[in-house]
Amino acid sequence: MSADDDLYAEVPALDERSRHALTVAEKWIGKGVEGVAIGAAEDGGPAVVVYAVDPAAEAVRHLPQECEGLPVRVETGKASGAED
């Protein structure tokens, strides 16, 4: 196992369900959400990761707990290249 393998160990495969969930979640961008991605849930399975500058913002708090059957995880973050 190389060092590069470690970088990808926690990134689940992007299957059809994950692709569909990402397509749905992309509609949330702009409502307090800077970006979305597929990442790992606590159990190692896929999750929709939502990046928000203020995770406590009302719009972010009202996001669903699941998207197309995948858990939703909110992270503090800002899309790269976004202006201040």
Side-chain angles (χ1 to χ4, degrees):
M1 182 158 137
S2 73
D4 286 340
D5 291 336
D6 288 342
L7 295 174
Y8 298 100
E10 294 186 22
V11 178
L14 194 59
D15 60 11
E16 190 58 35
R17 182 173 86 169
S18 297
R19 287 180 209 277
H20 184 65
L22 190 56
T23 299
V24 171
E26 285 175 341
K27 296 173 185 168
W28 302 340
I29 295 173
K31 300 175 183 173
V33 174
E34 292 290 320
V36 295
I38 297 296
E42 288 185 23
D43 67 2
V48 174
V49 181
V50 174
Y51 296 98
V53 173
D54 181 8
E58 186 174 348
V60 177
R61 288 182 307 178
H62 289 353
L63 291 174
Q65 296 292 312
E66 287 190 352
C67 179
E68 301 302 311
L70 298 180
V72 172
R73 190 179 87 214
V74 177
E75 296 285 333
T76 303
K78 184 174 182 181
S80 65
E83 294 183 25
D84 290 327

